[in-house]
Amino acid sequence: MAIPQVQGFYDERTGSIQYVVADSATKACAIIDPVLDFDEKSGSVGTGNADAILAFISRRGLVVEWILDTHPHADHFSAARYLKVRTGAPTGIGEHVRRVQQIWKDIYNWPDFACDGSQWDRLFADGETFEIGTLQGRVIYSPGHTAASVTYVVGDAAFIHDTLFMPDGGTARADFPGADAGRLWASIQAILALPDETRLFTGHDYRPDGREARWESTVAEQRRDNPHVAGMDETGFIALREARDRTLPIPKLMLQALQVNIRGGELPPPEDNGRRYLKIPIGALPGSAWG
């Protein structure tokens, strides 16, 4: 089995991990889940995270062949569009993003918004493959956290986004519009069906008990040590997940981030005064816990 080079980039503000996965034979690489910086207090956008990734790629002499989102993120803006402009590489996401677009089109009341996934260059179906140099990537449809989530498997590495966290962090929430705890359980089981030694790279780490940030585990470690998985059945998992989710406030950037991320990372178009605006729907998520 091929062993790609993987470099993680941790964003302290959102607990997100961005990845560069590279083929050592050809220097081809893909960027997965890049973060576009946003300060909600000032409304300012920055490219510090994305530029750090570009600097790493330049130092290593890598060539970007793909910019991939695992799903439309709820806690940070995607830098996919910015990196496409900087590198010329195509963008990709799972084909079920169209369902998420439809959900949020209605929430934002955007009657003219195109819910066809055309904001990305490639929409991946379950089981579809792609290449990074001599490496072959494979897509696993992994819904539950969102209706659009996918896992990218490249050699012995799987980029599992918001499904499993590190074993001491449990699993991802499943209470967003279009999410479902039962489907998340099934997606986790598909990930844990990969070979025991498969390296699993998670999308977030919230540093339980203040430990250092971590983002790499294995299938075997997750099966053995994750309390949301070890000794758990589907009924127990759903009960645990739904009870925990009822206590969680929505991510602080969710209403801002989704209107950027369902556009593939493109900011809202300028209005007639040249400024861009984010739209915050009032009462769109009734019953959400207050943070």
Side-chain angles (χ1 to χ4, degrees):
M1 183 182 295
I3 303 176
Q5 298 176 334
V6 178
Q7 179 68 42
F9 298 82
Y10 185 70
D11 176 39
E12 187 76 35
R13 293 180 65 151
T14 64
S16 305
I17 302 97
Q18 312 150 87
Y19 293 102
V20 173
V21 53
D23 174 23
S24 58
T26 65
K27 297 292 187 178
C29 74
I31 301 170
I32 299 176
D33 287 339
V35 171
L36 185 68
D37 308 325
F38 177 70
D39 178 56
E40 69 275 15
K41 294 180 179 178
S42 66
S44 300
V45 175
T47 59
N49 269 292
D51 290 338
I53 291 173
L54 290 174
F56 169 83
I57 287 168
S58 177
R59 289 195 304 272
R60 296 294 180 92
L62 302 176
V63 177
V64 182
E65 292 196 346
W66 286 104
I67 302 162
L68 303 173
D69 284 315
T70 55
H71 64 291
H73 305 276
D75 49 10
H76 67 263
F77 291 11
S78 170
R81 183 59 56 94
Y82 171 75
L83 289 169
K84 175 181 170 64
V85 171
R86 291 291 306 273
T87 67
T91 58
I93 198 168
E95 64 177 351
H96 294 279
V97 72
R98 292 174 291 206
R99 181 180 172 200
V100 175
Q101 288 179 317
Q102 186 62 61
I103 291 170
W104 287 91
K105 170 183 177 175
D106 294 340
I107 290 173
Y108 292 124
N109 191 29
W110 289 343
D112 299 325
F113 180 72
C115 296
D116 57 4
S118 58
Q119 298 83 0
W120 288 266
D121 297 303
R122 177 88 170 265
L123 299 182
F124 291 106
D126 182 40
E128 196 166 356
T129 61
F130 59 96
E131 283 71 44
I132 305 169
T134 62
L135 300 171
Q136 184 176 83
R138 176 168 61 91
V139 177
I140 302 174
Y141 180 42
S142 305
H145 175 66
T146 76
S149 301
V150 295
T151 294
Y152 297 110
V153 181
V154 182
D156 77 331
F159 299 89
I160 62 173
H161 55 94
D162 294 10
T163 50
L164 294 158
F165 296 145
M166 294 301 295
D168 61 348
T171 56
R173 65 193 297 166
D175 61 332
F176 296 157
D180 182 88
R183 300 192 82 188
L184 179 59
W185 172 259
S187 294
I188 289 170
Q189 298 314 301
I191 290 167
L192 295 180
L194 295 168
D196 281 358
E197 65 275 14
T198 302
R199 294 181 291 162
L200 303 181
F201 294 95
T202 189
H204 288 281
D205 186 66
Y206 299 115
R207 303 178 57 199
D209 299 321
R211 63 156 170 73
E212 290 298 310
R214 296 170 52 211
W215 48 82
E216 180 180 345
S217 60
T218 66
V219 167
E221 288 169 346
Q222 290 284 353
R223 283 206 203 104
R224 183 186 66 234
D225 299 332
N226 192 315
H228 293 191
V229 172
M232 188 70 71
D233 62 12
E234 180 178 5
T235 300
F237 175 82
I238 292 172
L240 180 153
R241 189 66 268 162
E242 291 182 347
R244 178 165 172 74
D245 288 348
R246 284 191 290 270
T247 72
L248 300 176
I250 67 169
K252 64 180 180 178
L253 295 184
M254 182 174 181
L255 295 176
Q256 295 96 325
L258 265 297
Q259 60 195 289
V260 172
N261 294 341
I262 63 170
R263 289 184 167 107
E266 184 174 5
L267 296 173
E271 298 192 6
D272 55 10
N273 63 355
R275 293 188 183 277
R276 302 175 189 267
Y277 292 86
L278 294 168
K279 186 175 185 178
I280 303 299
I282 304 299
L285 302 173
S288 298
W290 286 36

